[in-house]
Amino acid sequence: MQRKYLNAAALAAMWIAAPAWAINKCTGPDGKVSYQEQPCAGQGGELKIRPQGNPTPTPAPAKTASPVAGSASTAPAAPVTPQHAQAPKSELQMQADQCLAYYKPKLRDPSGAYHTDVQMDKTVLSLKMHATNGFGGYVTREVSCEFKQNGELDADWTKVHAQRIGW
């Protein structure tokens, strides 16, 4: 009976101490991706497998093919440069961003909210606000904000506009 428990304990100890399996994600010359135990001959790299408790895996450095057949070297990632420089925002766009920022705290999920169809009529700015609903879909709602002559958001009048449209 004791031998049965010793065998089980020895088996458990070997299982716990066993090395982790390496998984390599490789990209072939035809662009197809494959997963294998052996290191990649072309482009690819080893995947780091983390326990379920840590949902943020760290990506492994990419390996690129070297001139010597069968060997691989780790190459630093190329710096990302923007293709087009962004033009500075107009005063109307900055005011639209302020208006959207006023309504964002009232939204269920403010992180994905954005605006379109911005129009200014004297001191009242109107826009269409797009935001996610409780089901993950986007809904559109027209909102308005009041701005003072100096371009500053008038929170008191904007609150009145928001109440008129049911916020």
Side-chain angles (χ1 to χ4, degrees), residues 107-149:
L107 299 174
R108 175 179 233 157
D109 181 19
S111 63
Y114 65 95
H115 58 76
T116 58
D117 298 340
V118 180
Q119 299 174 0
M120 187 72 143
D121 183 21
K122 296 182 183 175
T123 60
V124 178
L125 181 129
S126 301
L127 56 88
K128 286 185 181 175
M129 180 175 58
H130 306 270
T132 54
N133 61 13
F135 301 107
Y138 271 86
V139 293
T140 303
R141 192 152 181 203
E142 291 200 25
V143 296
S144 299
C145 293
E146 185 90 18
F147 283 87
K148 297 177 184 176
Q149 294 297 334

Side-chain angles (χ1 to χ4, degrees), residues 6-7 10 24-25 33 47 55 61 67 69 97 100-101 119 153:
L6 287 175
N7 286 342
N24 294 290
K25 180 180 178 183
V33 175
L47 299 176
D97 290 345
L100 183 64
Q119 299 174 0
L153 180 76

Side-chain angles (χ1 to χ4, degrees), residues 15-139:
W15 184 65
I16 291 171
W21 290 72
I23 300 175
N24 294 290
K25 180 180 178 183
C26 304
T27 306
D30 58 352
K32 290 187 179 178
V33 175
S34 65
Y35 298 90
Q36 61 191 34
E37 292 178 27
Q38 299 83 15
C40 301
Q43 291 184 339
E46 186 177 329
L47 299 176
K48 300 290 184 188
I49 308 298
R50 294 196 177 270
Q52 280 185 323
N54 187 358
T56 55
T58 16
K63 293 182 182 178
T64 58
S66 66
V68 179
S71 67
S73 63
T74 304
V80 178
T81 56
Q83 296 293 332
H84 304 285
Q86 282 190 341
K89 290 186 177 183
S90 67
E91 183 178 350
L92 183 65
Q93 285 298 321
M94 289 190 295
Q95 288 176 333
D97 290 345
Q98 288 178 26
C99 186
L100 183 64
Y102 177 85
Y103 284 95
K104 273 189 173 184
K106 301 171 185 337
L107 299 174
R108 175 179 233 157
D109 181 19
S111 63
Y114 65 95
H115 58 76
T116 58
D117 298 340
V118 180
Q119 299 174 0
M120 187 72 143
D121 183 21
K122 296 182 183 175
T123 60
V124 178
L125 181 129
S126 301
L127 56 88
K128 286 185 181 175
M129 180 175 58
H130 306 270
T132 54
N133 61 13
F135 301 107
Y138 271 86
V139 293

